[in-house]
Amino acid sequence: MAGLSDLKASFLQLLQKREVTVQQVTELYNSLQGLDADKKSILEQAFRDVTRDSMVKDKGSYSSYVSLSIQSAEKGVCLHTLPFILLGDVLDSVTLEQCKQVFTFMESQVHVWVAPAFYSAGKHLLLRMCNDILRRLSRSQNTVFCGQIQLFLVNLFPLSEKSALNLMSHFNLDNVTQYSKRASDKEDYPIDYNLYSKLWSLQDFFRLPVQCYSADKWKTFTESLTDVMEAFASYKLEDTSGSRKQKEALPPAVIDDSHYFAKYLTSERLMHLQLGDNHFRRHFLIQILVIFDYLTTEVKFKAANHVLSDAQQKWVQETTAKVYQLLEETPPNGPVFTAHVKHTLERERNWVSWKNDGCPSFIPDTATTLSVRGRKRQAGDLVSTPLQAKKLDLGNEELSRLWNLNPDNLKACKAENRVYVPELSSFFEEALEQFDPEAQIEDEYKLVNKPNFTWRALRLLSRRSTHFFQGTQATTKTLPDYLTAVIQQTAKDTTS
């Protein structure tokens, strides 16, 4: 135990110095006696101790220790998980406001996290850290920071990563909307309580759409939704975005056309204002389209009886058209906004189909094709891998293109368009015409006296004509005379 204590003391003494370099850490690591596993474990604990102490004295010095741990891991004197462990310790000891600064540092090192050695060692630790921060944040008050974390995870993990997928299509049943269950008798509100109750009761169907497959629940859903849609149609909204004079009178800092509501208030006093609010209407109409998409789309984990009847599907289709019409009538830029909604829902259907197919990877796993446990690719791999993909790289773009015109080259050679042996009649047609005395073709210009023609003619006759092989009694003086005799005999057989 004394030896291990001495090791830790040596590492602590070095790390506590200012501007310590990775070379110094490496030299000390190599100079100390002991097993590599023990030295790495002790160095890791020393890093954690000095990082923890630095958070008390100077909360910004953690970044230098994390950077040093990254360099040390690259040198092989510590594990690749150490930088993630240090960041986890830091995040556990700072406030939410300070978490933003730490997370900004994490984003700046994303090129390190995606490196193979660090990614395989720390991807789950990074995911756990991000989820811990999200649990501490408020979705309504820290929306920007929450979005920043989500974008970081999207950029870090590939599309094929299933850790963030809702594979079983579970619903968020914790999202319960509270509203008044009975009409208030103290004040006279401008909106009928019956309409108020129907509008907010629909949130329970949006939260758990499978209720609509029940006959009694379906009746409640359709009646409430019909009344709410009629109320929206009766409240015509005006486009107030064009009040240029009012905007010109305000300072630029006051003008803000964007609004965000994490969750709308459900007070009866606000109901008449919400019916006239274009943002509120758009949120509600999009919720309707989303639940309709779920009810009519095939989802892998739906029960067998979760299917709409023909009459129900017809009602959904008709109501969908009304929803899109209300969206187009909702200012500002109703038609443009509606087109974006349709496009988004279409993309969502593609994701549903992807999940139904078992979430196949969009990008092939190149790790197995480039190396197997770090070994160098063998010559057989270079050939077998392209052959399995039915494509071969010959090292030349044009040769590769020609070779890969057909995945099966032997089959391609037998294709009809590759039959190059002509018919006897067509090939010797011109030569036969030249034999006619009326053609008045001099011997030196006849085809049988041209070497190119005679060579091709002999090859063709050897394959197609029985007269190519003459008996031993037959005698010819020259090759043109021989071809003339054979061509004429072949022509007689063909015409007879």
Side-chain angles (χ1 to χ4, degrees), residues 260-278:
Y260 176 79
F261 299 95
K263 200 170 179 67
Y264 281 94
L265 300 175
T266 59
S267 173
E268 293 177 75
R269 298 186 181 92
L270 302 175
M271 186 65 187
H272 68 288
L273 299 175
Q274 291 168 339
L275 288 177
D277 181 23
N278 58 342

Side-chain angles (χ1 to χ4, degrees), residues 1 71 76 101 129 140 157 159 184 199-200 203 219 233 251 285 289 313 323 335 400 413 419 467 469 485 487 494:
M1 295 298 294
Q71 298 171 8
Q101 302 175 4
M129 280 187 282
S140 59
F157 290 95
L159 287 174
S184 176
L199 185 145
W200 289 113
Q203 293 297 321
K219 182 179 179 181
L285 293 177
L289 294 174
Q313 290 184 1
V323 172
S400 300
C413 292
V419 178
H467 299 289
F469 303 96
I487 292 172
T494 304

Side-chain angles (χ1 to χ4, degrees), residues 396-466:
N396 181 280
E397 182 177 357
E398 185 61 20
L399 286 177
S400 300
R401 184 189 69 82
L402 293 173
W403 186 270
N404 295 299
L405 287 177
N406 194 300
D408 189 347
N409 289 320
L410 292 177
K411 184 178 179 181
C413 292
K414 298 178 182 179
E416 294 181 359
N417 60 348
R418 293 184 62 85
V419 178
Y420 299 129
V421 180
E423 296 295 332
L424 291 172
S425 57
S426 60
F427 184 80
F428 294 120
E429 182 179 3
E430 185 178 356
L432 286 170
E433 292 176 355
Q434 293 177 355
F435 294 157
D436 188 355
E438 295 182 358
Q440 298 182 356
I441 303 296
E442 298 179 6
D443 291 340
E444 61 178 323
Y445 297 112
K446 290 181 179 180
L447 291 175
V448 292
N449 291 311
K450 294 184 177 181
N452 184 31
F453 177 81
T454 57
W455 180 79
R456 297 172 63 192
L458 289 172
R459 288 177 58 86
L460 179 60
L461 288 170
S462 66
R463 294 189 177 188
R464 296 290 180 90
S465 176
T466 58

Side-chain angles (χ1 to χ4, degrees), residues 40 55 70 109 199 209 229 259 331 350 381 400:
K40 288 182 179 180
M55 293 301 297
I70 293 173
Q109 301 297 316
L199 185 145
M229 293 280 292
H259 302 277
N350 294 335
D381 296 336
S400 300

Side-chain angles (χ1 to χ4, degrees), residues 232 237 239 257 264 274-275 277-289 323 326-338 341:
F232 280 149
L237 303 181
D239 188 357
D257 293 332
Y264 281 94
Q274 291 168 339
L275 288 177
D277 181 23
N278 58 342
H279 296 284
F280 180 87
R281 179 173 297 191
R282 281 177 170 175
H283 278 76
F284 188 85
L285 293 177
I286 292 175
Q287 284 182 307
I288 299 174
L289 294 174
V323 172
L326 283 175
L327 275 177
E328 290 182 352
E329 296 174 354
T330 303
N333 303 320
V336 177
F337 182 83
T338 304
V341 171

Side-chain angles (χ1 to χ4, degrees), residues 142-418:
N142 307 109
T143 54
V144 176
F145 192 18
C146 289
Q148 186 180 0
I149 296 173
Q150 296 288 359
L151 287 176
F152 172 77
L153 292 175
V154 168
N155 293 325
L156 180 67
F157 290 95
L159 287 174
S160 56
E161 176 64 39
K162 298 182 180 180
S163 59
L165 294 178
N166 182 12
L167 294 175
M168 302 298 293
S169 298
H170 294 304
F171 299 102
N172 182 17
L173 301 181
D174 296 332
N175 185 20
V176 179
T177 300
Q178 303 290 343
Y179 63 96
S180 300
K181 299 298 183 181
R182 59 186 181 86
S184 176
D185 53 359
K186 295 182 180 180
E187 298 185 36
D188 183 17
Y189 299 121
I191 297 298
D192 179 41
Y193 173 79
N194 188 34
L195 176 62
Y196 164 85
S197 176
K198 288 182 177 180
L199 185 145
W200 289 113
S201 65
L202 287 171
Q203 293 297 321
D204 191 57
F205 290 97
F206 299 153
R207 180 181 68 102
L208 188 60
V210 293
Q211 298 179 84
C212 296
Y213 293 111
S214 173
D216 54 341
K217 292 289 186 179
W218 172 260
K219 182 179 179 181
T220 303
F221 172 72
T222 54
E223 290 178 352
S224 299
L225 186 56
T226 301
D227 291 345
V228 173
M229 293 280 292
E230 291 177 354
F232 280 149
S234 63
Y235 272 75
K236 297 297 181 181
L237 303 181
E238 296 182 1
D239 188 357
T240 59
S241 61
S243 55
R244 185 176 302 174
K245 294 182 179 180
Q246 296 180 1
K247 289 187 176 182
E248 290 177 352
L250 296 173
V254 179
I255 302 174
D256 185 10
D257 293 332
S258 62
H259 302 277
Y260 176 79
F261 299 95
K263 200 170 179 67
Y264 281 94
L265 300 175
T266 59
S267 173
E268 293 177 75
R269 298 186 181 92
L270 302 175
M271 186 65 187
H272 68 288
L273 299 175
Q274 291 168 339
L275 288 177
D277 181 23
N278 58 342
H279 296 284
F280 180 87
R281 179 173 297 191
R282 281 177 170 175
H283 278 76
F284 188 85
L285 293 177
I286 292 175
Q287 284 182 307
I288 299 174
L289 294 174
V290 170
I291 192 175
F292 282 175
D293 239 29
Y294 176 82
L295 295 175
T296 57
T297 303
E298 181 181 353
V299 179
K300 182 178 181 179
F301 297 99
K302 277 185 180 180
N305 60 341
H306 288 174
V307 180
L308 296 180
S309 64
D310 293 340
Q312 290 173 331
Q313 290 184 1
K314 182 179 179 181
W315 182 87
V316 169
Q317 186 177 2
E318 294 173 350
T319 309
T320 301
K322 296 178 182 178
V323 172
Y324 279 125
Q325 181 180 354
L326 283 175
L327 275 177
E328 290 182 352
E329 296 174 354
T330 303
N333 303 320
V336 177
F337 182 83
T338 304
H340 286 298
V341 171
K342 290 181 178 179
H343 178 68
T344 303
L345 291 176
E346 184 63 31
R347 289 174 59 90
E348 183 64 22
R349 296 185 194 102
N350 294 335
W351 285 114
V352 172
S353 300
W354 175 67
K355 288 181 66 177
N356 289 341
D357 294 337
C359 307
S361 176
F362 290 96
I363 304 173
D365 187 7
T366 57
T368 57
T369 58
L370 294 178
S371 62
V372 179
R373 293 186 179 179
R375 68 173 175 85
K376 186 176 180 181
R377 294 184 66 183
Q378 302 298 322
D381 296 336
L382 295 173
V383 177
S384 61
T385 301
L387 285 178
Q388 292 173 1
K390 299 188 182 300
K391 189 173 183 180
L392 195 62
D393 185 4
L394 300 180
N396 181 280
E397 182 177 357
E398 185 61 20
L399 286 177
S400 300
R401 184 189 69 82
L402 293 173
W403 186 270
N404 295 299
L405 287 177
N406 194 300
D408 189 347
N409 289 320
L410 292 177
K411 184 178 179 181
C413 292
K414 298 178 182 179
E416 294 181 359
N417 60 348
R418 293 184 62 85

